[in-house]
Amino acid sequence: MAVAIVLLAGGVAAQCGGGAAAPCDRACLEGFVDRYLEALVAHNPFGLPLAQKVRFSENDQPLPLGDGLWNTATGLGTYRLVISDPQGAQAGFFGTMRENGTPVAVALRLKLDGRKIAEAESLVLRDAPAVKNMEALGHPDRLFVEPLSPAERVGRKELIAAANKYLDGLERGNGDIVPFDAECDRIQNGTLTTNNPALTLGPNASWNPFALGCREQFGTKFFSFLKKVHPRRFPVIDEERGVVLGFLMAQVPGTVKSVDVPGHGTIAVDPANRSPFTLDAAELYKIRSGKIRKLETIQMRMPYGTRSAFEW
């Protein structure tokens, strides 16, 4: 058994460019994601190069590595995006899989320690219609995989600051404090929720927030039913592509029944948002020249007050 483990670890080392001291570059990190997903479908985490202690969570529940989706995964889906952070030795996956044949969406974060997996954080969205919407898109927006030109890149601190300002604007109902690109769009669970007049609040709605752009939508205070975004973490930073992978929890107390929308009067809050819950989400931010160009989110409702398994 010891020989088998050495051989497996050696295979990953070769992908990462040789000796133990070599940094894990983009190709190396993507290789770890591939190996993890293959092991997940095979229901066998123990062939992976693992640190002595591995922290693992699924939907913010700490579990032993090998539990949860590890027992039920039956295949990979058709939607896939990998985010690489060589400086932070972390990688992320945004995509779809099959669980006992049913489509699920998965947001995954891996953290390496000495080119061994030390942390694996996952959100699994078990909502087949939403996952089918994701796969109907064909593939993630090319913006997330296209490198930025040197002139369009900003540093890690600036990338994190932009993502934080987005969540500040969400809390405050103020799009003017967020560095939005004029072409900003957002996709949530496979559905375009900005600049989409086909998506409405209902057949009798007199106003449609989903037809608005990112900045204008925040300014309507439509999201006032959401009171606080905490915790919020941005562990995976892909500087070359200007992509940030964040994990956040939005607290909805259920006490806001209506919103006063400037120019439209009082708008009733959807009944689904009038009871307490925590919105658990993984969010991708594409940031170009310091401005948020595109967002994509995998999110799900959790019991109110749910805590993050990796709260910092």
Side-chain angles (χ1 to χ4, degrees):
M1 180 62 70
V3 173
I5 291 173
V6 169
L7 290 173
L8 286 168
V12 174
Q15 291 180 40
C16 296
C24 195
D25 60 12
R26 183 178 300 278
C28 168
L29 290 167
E30 291 180 356
F32 267 95
V33 171
D34 288 341
R35 290 278 302 279
Y36 185 95
L37 295 175
E38 290 167 3
L40 189 60
V41 172
H43 309 160
N44 179 23
F46 302 108
L48 293 169
L50 302 174
Q52 187 172 3
K53 293 184 179 180
V54 181
R55 292 180 65 189
F56 170 65
S57 72
E58 181 177 303
N59 294 354
D60 280 295
Q61 300 301 307
L63 295 172
L65 187 69
D67 208 349
L69 185 63
W70 281 94
N71 294 320
T72 52
T74 50
L76 300 177
T78 62
Y79 196 84
R80 168 192 167 88
L81 175 67
V82 177
I83 309 96
S84 301
D85 181 355
Q87 183 174 333
Q90 302 205 55
F93 167 79
F94 234 67
T96 59
M97 296 187 68
R98 298 293 182 267
E99 181 178 49
N100 290 324
T102 299
V104 296
V106 177
L108 169 69
R109 177 185 66 87
L110 298 180
K111 181 178 181 180
L112 307 184
D113 182 3
R115 291 215 302 258
K116 293 184 178 181
I117 296 171
E119 294 182 0
E121 177 178 11
S122 59
L123 291 185
V124 182
L125 176 65
R126 295 176 169 93
D127 181 342
V131 180
K132 289 178 180 178
N133 286 342
M134 289 179 65
E135 294 194 335
L137 295 172
H139 53 76
D141 194 307
R142 295 295 303 173
L143 286 167
F144 288 113
V145 298
E146 292 172 352
L148 297 173
S149 70
E152 294 173 322
R153 297 179 192 176
V154 296
R156 297 173 76 86
K157 289 184 178 179
E158 290 83 359
L159 291 169
I160 292 172
N164 253 322
K165 287 178 182 177
Y166 175 85
L167 299 178
D168 289 343
L170 184 63
E171 285 182 339
R172 301 176 193 175
N174 186 352
D176 293 334
I177 67 174
V178 185
F180 281 124
D181 187 284
E183 299 180 273
C184 174
D185 265 323
R186 180 182 63 246
I187 292 176
Q188 295 172 266
N189 289 355
T191 297
L192 180 67
T193 56
T194 53
N195 298 301
N196 185 3
L199 184 66
T200 69
L201 290 173
N204 300 317
S206 59
W207 171 74
N208 183 8
F210 305 117
L212 302 175
C214 295
R215 184 185 305 278
E216 295 76 17
Q217 194 179 77
F218 272 26
T220 66
K221 305 190 183 302
F222 173 68
F223 296 108
S224 294
F225 59 84
L226 184 157
K227 288 299 181 184
K228 190 175 182 64
V229 183
H230 178 81
R232 51 172 89 171
R233 298 176 291 114
F234 309 101
V236 187
I237 313 293
D238 190 330
E239 295 182 69
E240 180 182 336
R241 295 175 178 172
V243 176
V244 175
L245 172 59
F247 289 84
L248 59 101
M249 288 183 157
Q251 309 302 327
V252 180
T255 56
V256 179
K257 298 178 182 179
S258 62
V259 178
D260 290 326
V261 177
H264 295 277
T266 301
I267 303 294
V269 169
D270 189 292
N273 297 322
R274 295 188 212 168
S275 58
F277 67 94
T278 293
L279 191 67
D280 199 356
E283 194 152 59
L284 291 172
Y285 307 81
K286 173 72 177 191
I287 300 168
R288 182 178 63 189
S289 300
K291 296 184 177 181
I292 297 173
R293 171 63 181 85
K294 188 88 177 186
L295 300 104
E296 183 162 353
T297 304
I298 291 175
Q299 61 186 40
M300 64 200 72
R301 292 171 67 111
M302 300 288 282
Y304 188 58
T306 297
R307 297 183 60 121
S308 167
F310 287 89
E311 187 169 351
W312 297 346

PDB file of all heavy atoms in Angstrom, residues 121-152:
ATOM      1  N   GLU A 121     -13.530  22.204   0.346  1.00  0.00           N
ATOM      2  CA  GLU A 121     -14.793  22.865   0.707  1.00  0.00           C
ATOM      3  C   GLU A 121     -15.731  22.772  -0.482  1.00  0.00           C
ATOM      4  O   GLU A 121     -15.359  23.140  -1.594  1.00  0.00           O
ATOM      5  CB  GLU A 121     -14.526  24.319   1.058  1.00  0.00           C
ATOM      6  CG  GLU A 121     -15.770  25.132   1.381  1.00  0.00           C
ATOM      7  CD  GLU A 121     -15.449  26.562   1.775  1.00  0.00           C
ATOM      8  OE1 GLU A 121     -14.291  27.000   1.600  1.00  0.00           O
ATOM      9  OE2 GLU A 121     -16.373  27.260   2.256  1.00  0.00           O
ATOM     10  N   SER A 122     -16.951  22.292  -0.247  1.00  0.00           N
ATOM     11  CA  SER A 122     -17.865  22.102  -1.378  1.00  0.00           C
ATOM     12  C   SER A 122     -19.275  22.557  -1.037  1.00  0.00           C
ATOM     13  O   SER A 122     -19.744  22.415   0.086  1.00  0.00           O
ATOM     14  CB  SER A 122     -17.889  20.624  -1.802  1.00  0.00           C
ATOM     15  OG  SER A 122     -18.296  19.793  -0.732  1.00  0.00           O
ATOM     16  N   LEU A 123     -19.916  23.142  -2.038  1.00  0.00           N
ATOM     17  CA  LEU A 123     -21.352  23.386  -2.010  1.00  0.00           C
ATOM     18  C   LEU A 123     -21.970  22.519  -3.097  1.00  0.00           C
ATOM     19  O   LEU A 123     -21.498  22.521  -4.239  1.00  0.00           O
ATOM     20  CB  LEU A 123     -21.677  24.856  -2.283  1.00  0.00           C
ATOM     21  CG  LEU A 123     -21.280  25.885  -1.221  1.00  0.00           C
ATOM     22  CD1 LEU A 123     -21.797  27.264  -1.630  1.00  0.00           C
ATOM     23  CD2 LEU A 123     -21.815  25.516   0.148  1.00  0.00           C
ATOM     24  N   VAL A 124     -23.011  21.795  -2.749  1.00  0.00           N
ATOM     25  CA  VAL A 124     -23.695  20.917  -3.706  1.00  0.00           C
ATOM     26  C   VAL A 124     -25.139  21.373  -3.812  1.00  0.00           C
ATOM     27  O   VAL A 124     -25.903  21.290  -2.837  1.00  0.00           O
ATOM     28  CB  VAL A 124     -23.619  19.439  -3.263  1.00  0.00           C
ATOM     29  CG1 VAL A 124     -24.293  18.551  -4.319  1.00  0.00           C
ATOM     30  CG2 VAL A 124     -22.169  19.015  -3.048  1.00  0.00           C
ATOM     31  N   LEU A 125     -25.518  21.877  -4.970  1.00  0.00           N
ATOM     32  CA  LEU A 125     -26.879  22.344  -5.217  1.00  0.00           C
ATOM     33  C   LEU A 125     -27.692  21.191  -5.790  1.00  0.00           C
ATOM     34  O   LEU A 125     -27.470  20.766  -6.925  1.00  0.00           O
ATOM     35  CB  LEU A 125     -26.869  23.521  -6.195  1.00  0.00           C
ATOM     36  CG  LEU A 125     -28.245  24.055  -6.618  1.00  0.00           C
ATOM     37  CD1 LEU A 125     -28.981  24.668  -5.431  1.00  0.00           C
ATOM     38  CD2 LEU A 125     -28.101  25.070  -7.753  1.00  0.00           C
ATOM     39  N   ARG A 126     -28.627  20.707  -5.007  1.00  0.00           N
ATOM     40  CA  ARG A 126     -29.477  19.594  -5.428  1.00  0.00           C
ATOM     41  C   ARG A 126     -30.822  20.156  -5.883  1.00  0.00           C
ATOM     42  O   ARG A 126     -31.833  20.068  -5.185  1.00  0.00           O
ATOM     43  CB  ARG A 126     -29.623  18.592  -4.286  1.00  0.00           C
ATOM     44  CG  ARG A 126     -28.285  17.921  -3.931  1.00  0.00           C
ATOM     45  CD  ARG A 126     -28.380  16.988  -2.739  1.00  0.00           C
ATOM     46  NE  ARG A 126     -27.169  16.183  -2.588  1.00  0.00           N
ATOM     47  CZ  ARG A 126     -26.135  16.506  -1.821  1.00  0.00           C
ATOM     48  NH1 ARG A 126     -26.159  17.645  -1.110  1.00  0.00           N
ATOM     49  NH2 ARG A 126     -25.074  15.715  -1.748  1.00  0.00           N
ATOM     50  N   ASP A 127     -30.796  20.769  -7.046  1.00  0.00           N
ATOM     51  CA  ASP A 127     -31.957  21.421  -7.655  1.00  0.00           C
ATOM     52  C   ASP A 127     -31.873  21.143  -9.149  1.00  0.00           C
ATOM     53  O   ASP A 127     -31.264  21.913  -9.908  1.00  0.00           O
ATOM     54  CB  ASP A 127     -31.923  22.925  -7.354  1.00  0.00           C
ATOM     55  CG  ASP A 127     -33.103  23.683  -7.928  1.00  0.00           C
ATOM     56  OD1 ASP A 127     -33.783  23.156  -8.828  1.00  0.00           O
ATOM     57  OD2 ASP A 127     -33.341  24.829  -7.492  1.00  0.00           O
ATOM     58  N   ALA A 128     -32.451  20.018  -9.565  1.00  0.00           N
ATOM     59  CA  ALA A 128     -32.276  19.549 -10.944  1.00  0.00           C
ATOM     60  C   ALA A 128     -32.683  20.583 -12.000  1.00  0.00           C
ATOM     61  O   ALA A 128     -31.958  20.767 -12.980  1.00  0.00           O
ATOM     62  CB  ALA A 128     -33.029  18.234 -11.155  1.00  0.00           C
ATOM     63  N   PRO A 129     -33.819  21.299 -11.868  1.00  0.00           N
ATOM     64  CA  PRO A 129     -34.157  22.307 -12.885  1.00  0.00           C
ATOM     65  C   PRO A 129     -33.099  23.400 -13.001  1.00  0.00           C
ATOM     66  O   PRO A 129     -32.757  23.825 -14.115  1.00  0.00           O
ATOM     67  CB  PRO A 129     -35.500  22.867 -12.407  1.00  0.00           C
ATOM     68  CG  PRO A 129     -36.103  21.761 -11.601  1.00  0.00           C
ATOM     69  CD  PRO A 129     -34.935  21.116 -10.914  1.00  0.00           C
ATOM     70  N   ALA A 130     -32.572  23.883 -11.859  1.00  0.00           N
ATOM     71  CA  ALA A 130     -31.534  24.919 -11.903  1.00  0.00           C
ATOM     72  C   ALA A 130     -30.276  24.386 -12.577  1.00  0.00           C
ATOM     73  O   ALA A 130     -29.636  25.096 -13.371  1.00  0.00           O
ATOM     74  CB  ALA A 130     -31.219  25.404 -10.493  1.00  0.00           C
ATOM     75  N   VAL A 131     -29.906  23.147 -12.263  1.00  0.00           N
ATOM     76  CA  VAL A 131     -28.700  22.565 -12.848  1.00  0.00           C
ATOM     77  C   VAL A 131     -28.881  22.379 -14.358  1.00  0.00           C
ATOM     78  O   VAL A 131     -27.950  22.615 -15.147  1.00  0.00           O
ATOM     79  CB  VAL A 131     -28.350  21.237 -12.161  1.00  0.00           C
ATOM     80  CG1 VAL A 131     -27.094  20.635 -12.781  1.00  0.00           C
ATOM     81  CG2 VAL A 131     -28.148  21.451 -10.665  1.00  0.00           C
ATOM     82  N   LYS A 132     -30.072  21.992 -14.781  1.00  0.00           N
ATOM     83  CA  LYS A 132     -30.330  21.870 -16.220  1.00  0.00           C
ATOM     84  C   LYS A 132     -30.221  23.228 -16.909  1.00  0.00           C
ATOM     85  O   LYS A 132     -29.767  23.321 -18.053  1.00  0.00           O
ATOM     86  CB  LYS A 132     -31.703  21.247 -16.446  1.00  0.00           C
ATOM     87  CG  LYS A 132     -31.763  19.761 -16.091  1.00  0.00           C
ATOM     88  CD  LYS A 132     -33.157  19.172 -16.282  1.00  0.00           C
ATOM     89  CE  LYS A 132     -33.181  17.696 -15.920  1.00  0.00           C
ATOM     90  NZ  LYS A 132     -34.546  17.103 -16.055  1.00  0.00           N
ATOM     91  N   ASN A 133     -30.624  24.293 -16.204  1.00  0.00           N
ATOM     92  CA  ASN A 133     -30.445  25.640 -16.762  1.00  0.00           C
ATOM     93  C   ASN A 133     -28.967  25.951 -16.952  1.00  0.00           C
ATOM     94  O   ASN A 133     -28.578  26.567 -17.961  1.00  0.00           O
ATOM     95  CB  ASN A 133     -31.067  26.684 -15.830  1.00  0.00           C
ATOM     96  CG  ASN A 133     -32.577  26.703 -15.881  1.00  0.00           C
ATOM     97  OD1 ASN A 133     -33.190  26.196 -16.821  1.00  0.00           O
ATOM     98  ND2 ASN A 133     -33.198  27.265 -14.865  1.00  0.00           N
ATOM     99  N   MET A 134     -28.139  25.552 -15.987  1.00  0.00           N
ATOM    100  CA  MET A 134     -26.704  25.769 -16.130  1.00  0.00           C
ATOM    101  C   MET A 134     -26.169  25.046 -17.351  1.00  0.00           C
ATOM    102  O   MET A 134     -25.443  25.618 -18.165  1.00  0.00           O
ATOM    103  CB  MET A 134     -25.965  25.288 -14.878  1.00  0.00           C
ATOM    104  CG  MET A 134     -26.157  26.142 -13.650  1.00  0.00           C
ATOM    105  SD  MET A 134     -25.272  25.497 -12.199  1.00  0.00           S
ATOM    106  CE  MET A 134     -23.554  25.678 -12.728  1.00  0.00           C
ATOM    107  N   GLU A 135     -26.544  23.789 -17.499  1.00  0.00           N
ATOM    108  CA  GLU A 135     -26.023  23.008 -18.622  1.00  0.00           C
ATOM    109  C   GLU A 135     -26.591  23.475 -19.953  1.00  0.00           C
ATOM    110  O   GLU A 135     -25.941  23.341 -20.997  1.00  0.00           O
ATOM    111  CB  GLU A 135     -26.290  21.523 -18.385  1.00  0.00           C
ATOM    112  CG  GLU A 135     -25.510  20.975 -17.190  1.00  0.00           C
ATOM    113  CD  GLU A 135     -25.477  19.470 -17.132  1.00  0.00           C
ATOM    114  OE1 GLU A 135     -26.388  18.818 -17.691  1.00  0.00           O
ATOM    115  OE2 GLU A 135     -24.535  18.937 -16.505  1.00  0.00           O
ATOM    116  N   ALA A 136     -27.792  24.080 -19.928  1.00  0.00           N
ATOM    117  CA  ALA A 136     -28.367  24.612 -21.154  1.00  0.00           C
ATOM    118  C   ALA A 136     -27.567  25.805 -21.682  1.00  0.00           C
ATOM    119  O   ALA A 136     -27.624  26.115 -22.887  1.00  0.00           O
ATOM    120  CB  ALA A 136     -29.819  25.023 -20.925  1.00  0.00           C
ATOM    121  N   LEU A 137     -26.797  26.455 -20.797  1.00  0.00           N
ATOM    122  CA  LEU A 137     -25.936  27.548 -21.243  1.00  0.00           C
ATOM    123  C   LEU A 137     -24.789  27.033 -22.115  1.00  0.00           C
ATOM    124  O   LEU A 137     -24.169  27.813 -22.844  1.00  0.00           O
ATOM    125  CB  LEU A 137     -25.368  28.293 -20.030  1.00  0.00           C
ATOM    126  CG  LEU A 137     -26.383  29.024 -19.142  1.00  0.00           C
ATOM    127  CD1 LEU A 137     -25.687  29.551 -17.889  1.00  0.00           C
ATOM    128  CD2 LEU A 137     -27.055  30.152 -19.900  1.00  0.00           C
ATOM    129  N   GLY A 138     -24.512  25.760 -22.015  1.00  0.00           N
ATOM    130  CA  GLY A 138     -23.465  25.152 -22.830  1.00  0.00           C
ATOM    131  C   GLY A 138     -22.127  25.107 -22.112  1.00  0.00           C
ATOM    132  O   GLY A 138     -21.510  24.054 -21.979  1.00  0.00           O
ATOM    133  N   HIS A 139     -21.677  26.255 -21.654  1.00  0.00           N
ATOM    134  CA  HIS A 139     -20.400  26.356 -20.945  1.00  0.00           C
ATOM    135  C   HIS A 139     -20.360  27.695 -20.224  1.00  0.00           C
ATOM    136  O   HIS A 139     -21.117  28.609 -20.564  1.00  0.00           O
ATOM    137  CB  HIS A 139     -19.222  26.247 -21.915  1.00  0.00           C
ATOM    138  CG  HIS A 139     -19.312  27.216 -23.070  1.00  0.00           C
ATOM    139  ND1 HIS A 139     -19.026  28.568 -22.930  1.00  0.00           N
ATOM    140  CD2 HIS A 139     -19.686  27.045 -24.358  1.00  0.00           C
ATOM    141  CE1 HIS A 139     -19.200  29.173 -24.085  1.00  0.00           C
ATOM    142  NE2 HIS A 139     -19.612  28.281 -24.970  1.00  0.00           N
ATOM    143  N   PRO A 140     -19.494  27.831 -19.228  1.00  0.00           N
ATOM    144  CA  PRO A 140     -19.372  29.121 -18.557  1.00  0.00           C
ATOM    145  C   PRO A 140     -18.952  30.208 -19.548  1.00  0.00           C
ATOM    146  O   PRO A 140     -18.335  29.924 -20.585  1.00  0.00           O
ATOM    147  CB  PRO A 140     -18.281  28.877 -17.509  1.00  0.00           C
ATOM    148  CG  PRO A 140     -18.292  27.406 -17.287  1.00  0.00           C
ATOM    149  CD  PRO A 140     -18.646  26.805 -18.611  1.00  0.00           C
ATOM    150  N   ASP A 141     -19.294  31.432 -19.232  1.00  0.00           N
ATOM    151  CA  ASP A 141     -18.930  32.553 -20.082  1.00  0.00           C
ATOM    152  C   ASP A 141     -17.420  32.549 -20.312  1.00  0.00           C
ATOM    153  O   ASP A 141     -16.628  32.393 -19.382  1.00  0.00           O
ATOM    154  CB  ASP A 141     -19.354  33.863 -19.412  1.00  0.00           C
ATOM    155  CG  ASP A 141     -19.326  35.044 -20.371  1.00  0.00           C
ATOM    156  OD1 ASP A 141     -18.286  35.262 -21.017  1.00  0.00           O
ATOM    157  OD2 ASP A 141     -20.347  35.751 -20.452  1.00  0.00           O
ATOM    158  N   ARG A 142     -17.011  32.759 -21.564  1.00  0.00           N
ATOM    159  CA  ARG A 142     -15.596  32.753 -21.901  1.00  0.00           C
ATOM    160  C   ARG A 142     -14.813  33.817 -21.139  1.00  0.00           C
ATOM    161  O   ARG A 142     -13.596  33.714 -20.984  1.00  0.00           O
ATOM    162  CB  ARG A 142     -15.425  32.970 -23.409  1.00  0.00           C
ATOM    163  CG  ARG A 142     -15.982  31.854 -24.281  1.00  0.00           C
ATOM    164  CD  ARG A 142     -15.255  30.559 -24.079  1.00  0.00           C
ATOM    165  NE  ARG A 142     -13.830  30.655 -24.328  1.00  0.00           N
ATOM    166  CZ  ARG A 142     -12.961  29.668 -24.092  1.00  0.00           C
ATOM    167  NH1 ARG A 142     -13.387  28.526 -23.560  1.00  0.00           N
ATOM    168  NH2 ARG A 142     -11.679  29.820 -24.348  1.00  0.00           N
ATOM    169  N   LEU A 143     -15.498  34.835 -20.664  1.00  0.00           N
ATOM    170  CA  LEU A 143     -14.822  35.862 -19.888  1.00  0.00           C
ATOM    171  C   LEU A 143     -14.060  35.276 -18.707  1.00  0.00           C
ATOM    172  O   LEU A 143     -13.007  35.786 -18.307  1.00  0.00           O
ATOM    173  CB  LEU A 143     -15.840  36.885 -19.365  1.00  0.00           C
ATOM    174  CG  LEU A 143     -16.419  37.877 -20.373  1.00  0.00           C
ATOM    175  CD1 LEU A 143     -17.616  38.593 -19.762  1.00  0.00           C
ATOM    176  CD2 LEU A 143     -15.355  38.871 -20.813  1.00  0.00           C
ATOM    177  N   PHE A 144     -14.590  34.203 -18.115  1.00  0.00           N
ATOM    178  CA  PHE A 144     -13.971  33.627 -16.931  1.00  0.00           C
ATOM    179  C   PHE A 144     -12.678  32.872 -17.236  1.00  0.00           C
ATOM    180  O   PHE A 144     -11.893  32.611 -16.328  1.00  0.00           O
ATOM    181  CB  PHE A 144     -14.950  32.701 -16.212  1.00  0.00           C
ATOM    182  CG  PHE A 144     -16.064  33.416 -15.502  1.00  0.00           C
ATOM    183  CD1 PHE A 144     -17.375  33.284 -15.931  1.00  0.00           C
ATOM    184  CD2 PHE A 144     -15.803  34.244 -14.423  1.00  0.00           C
ATOM    185  CE1 PHE A 144     -18.405  33.950 -15.286  1.00  0.00           C
ATOM    186  CE2 PHE A 144     -16.826  34.914 -13.769  1.00  0.00           C
ATOM    187  CZ  PHE A 144     -18.126  34.766 -14.201  1.00  0.00           C
ATOM    188  N   VAL A 145     -12.470  32.504 -18.482  1.00  0.00           N
ATOM    189  CA  VAL A 145     -11.266  31.740 -18.817  1.00  0.00           C
ATOM    190  C   VAL A 145     -10.275  32.542 -19.650  1.00  0.00           C
ATOM    191  O   VAL A 145      -9.122  32.125 -19.817  1.00  0.00           O
ATOM    192  CB  VAL A 145     -11.621  30.428 -19.553  1.00  0.00           C
ATOM    193  CG1 VAL A 145     -12.455  29.540 -18.663  1.00  0.00           C
ATOM    194  CG2 VAL A 145     -12.352  30.693 -20.863  1.00  0.00           C
ATOM    195  N   GLU A 146     -10.681  33.677 -20.159  1.00  0.00           N
ATOM    196  CA  GLU A 146      -9.785  34.475 -20.990  1.00  0.00           C
ATOM    197  C   GLU A 146      -8.850  35.305 -20.112  1.00  0.00           C
ATOM    198  O   GLU A 146      -9.299  36.038 -19.233  1.00  0.00           O
ATOM    199  CB  GLU A 146     -10.589  35.400 -21.901  1.00  0.00           C
ATOM    200  CG  GLU A 146     -11.369  34.662 -22.968  1.00  0.00           C
ATOM    201  CD  GLU A 146     -12.314  35.573 -23.741  1.00  0.00           C
ATOM    202  OE1 GLU A 146     -12.466  36.755 -23.337  1.00  0.00           O
ATOM    203  OE2 GLU A 146     -12.890  35.101 -24.730  1.00  0.00           O
ATOM    204  N   PRO A 147      -7.535  35.220 -20.359  1.00  0.00           N
ATOM    205  CA  PRO A 147      -6.597  36.056 -19.590  1.00  0.00           C
ATOM    206  C   PRO A 147      -6.816  37.534 -19.904  1.00  0.00           C
ATOM    207  O   PRO A 147      -7.208  37.906 -21.009  1.00  0.00           O
ATOM    208  CB  PRO A 147      -5.223  35.589 -20.083  1.00  0.00           C
ATOM    209  CG  PRO A 147      -5.458  34.265 -20.740  1.00  0.00           C
ATOM    210  CD  PRO A 147      -6.845  34.315 -21.292  1.00  0.00           C
ATOM    211  N   LEU A 148      -6.570  38.353 -18.911  1.00  0.00           N
ATOM    212  CA  LEU A 148      -6.610  39.794 -19.115  1.00  0.00           C
ATOM    213  C   LEU A 148      -5.292  40.265 -19.715  1.00  0.00           C
ATOM    214  O   LEU A 148      -4.238  39.650 -19.512  1.00  0.00           O
ATOM    215  CB  LEU A 148      -6.828  40.507 -17.781  1.00  0.00           C
ATOM    216  CG  LEU A 148      -8.146  40.236 -17.044  1.00  0.00           C
ATOM    217  CD1 LEU A 148      -8.107  40.902 -15.668  1.00  0.00           C
ATOM    218  CD2 LEU A 148      -9.339  40.736 -17.840  1.00  0.00           C
ATOM    219  N   SER A 149      -5.342  41.354 -20.431  1.00  0.00           N
ATOM    220  CA  SER A 149      -4.099  41.975 -20.874  1.00  0.00           C
ATOM    221  C   SER A 149      -3.408  42.574 -19.657  1.00  0.00           C
ATOM    222  O   SER A 149      -4.061  42.873 -18.647  1.00  0.00           O
ATOM    223  CB  SER A 149      -4.391  43.068 -21.900  1.00  0.00           C
ATOM    224  OG  SER A 149      -5.033  44.179 -21.269  1.00  0.00           O
ATOM    225  N   PRO A 150      -2.091  42.735 -19.709  1.00  0.00           N
ATOM    226  CA  PRO A 150      -1.396  43.333 -18.549  1.00  0.00           C
ATOM    227  C   PRO A 150      -1.997  44.662 -18.117  1.00  0.00           C
ATOM    228  O   PRO A 150      -2.059  44.953 -16.910  1.00  0.00           O
ATOM    229  CB  PRO A 150       0.037  43.487 -19.052  1.00  0.00           C
ATOM    230  CG  PRO A 150       0.201  42.379 -20.062  1.00  0.00           C
ATOM    231  CD  PRO A 150      -1.137  42.290 -20.743  1.00  0.00           C
ATOM    232  N   ALA A 151      -2.470  45.464 -19.056  1.00  0.00           N
ATOM    233  CA  ALA A 151      -3.029  46.773 -18.718  1.00  0.00           C
ATOM    234  C   ALA A 151      -4.359  46.651 -17.968  1.00  0.00           C
ATOM    235  O   ALA A 151      -4.765  47.580 -17.264  1.00  0.00           O
ATOM    236  CB  ALA A 151      -3.224  47.603 -19.986  1.00  0.00           C
ATOM    237  N   GLU A 152      -5.057  45.499 -18.114  1.00  0.00           N
ATOM    238  CA  GLU A 152      -6.365  45.312 -17.472  1.00  0.00           C
ATOM    239  C   GLU A 152      -6.266  44.679 -16.093  1.00  0.00           C
ATOM    240  O   GLU A 152      -7.253  44.596 -15.374  1.00  0.00           O
ATOM    241  CB  GLU A 152      -7.251  44.422 -18.356  1.00  0.00           C
ATOM    242  CG  GLU A 152      -7.640  45.053 -19.680  1.00  0.00           C
ATOM    243  CD  GLU A 152      -8.369  44.072 -20.581  1.00  0.00           C
ATOM    244  OE1 GLU A 152      -7.999  42.865 -20.589  1.00  0.00           O
ATOM    245  OE2 GLU A 152      -9.307  44.493 -21.281  1.00  0.00           O
TER     246      GLU A 152
END
